[in-house]
Amino acid sequence: MLTRIDHIGIACHDLDTTVEFYRATYGFEVFHTEVNEEQGVREAMLKINETSDGGASYLQLLEPTREDSAVGKWLAKNGEGVHHIAFGTADVDADSEDIRGKGVRVLYDEPRRGSMGSRITFLHPKDCHGVLTELVTSAPVESPEH
């Protein structure tokens, strides 16, 4: 079952400049950064709020590290802007299979590694009214040691 909006992915040409815009304009701070070589992106996650299921909602800013990446191709065609929406789920495997059974194309046969150790898959935008949709199971939150 989908439990929240996990994040909204925004494609950008210059990650540092875009981060600074969101920091200066809205006061959002970077929660996490990483380079995902498999997906060909450098990203920053800006935490917006905590959620009742223990997760959070983020803006994910994405700068392609290579032109042939999915985000690089999308950015060249569409310019900067909203790339995808991601919904959080406790079980990306079960939910993607359930959604596949309803006739929606799931882009990965098996979920892949996403930001912050999450497991992800994408749904085809043509089956989702033009919206590239991601399903995300967050990595387990480690409890702080006392």
Side-chain angles (χ1 to χ4, degrees), residues 7 14 30 59 72 75 107:
H7 67 271
D14 183 322
V30 173
L59 286 181
L75 193 58
L107 299 183

Side-chain angles (χ1 to χ4, degrees), residues 64-139:
T65 58
R66 57 181 198 270
E67 292 178 13
D68 68 339
S69 70
V71 172
K73 291 176 185 176
W74 188 91
L75 193 58
K77 180 180 178 183
N78 300 291
E80 293 185 309
V82 174
H83 179 262
H84 66 274
I85 186 167
F87 295 109
T89 172
D91 190 342
V92 68
D93 297 275
D95 283 336
S96 62
E97 284 306 311
D98 180 56
I99 291 169
R100 179 181 277 129
K102 295 174 181 174
V104 174
R105 287 174 281 179
V106 178
L107 299 183
Y108 303 152
D109 290 333
E110 297 289 327
R112 297 180 181 178
R113 183 194 170 284
S115 299
M116 302 184 292
S118 63
R119 296 187 69 239
I120 65 166
T121 195
F122 286 91
L123 309 178
H124 200 292
K126 289 185 178 178
D127 297 342
C128 299
H129 297 270
V131 178
L132 179 61
T133 304
E134 182 178 6
L135 304 180
V136 178
T137 296
S138 299

Side-chain angles (χ1 to χ4, degrees), residues 9-31:
I10 300 172
C12 61
H13 291 291
D14 183 322
L15 186 65
D16 298 326
T17 298
T18 307
V19 163
E20 184 52 35
F21 168 81
Y22 281 95
R23 179 181 294 126
T25 305
Y26 306 116
F28 298 150
E29 294 296 331
V30 173
F31 179 78

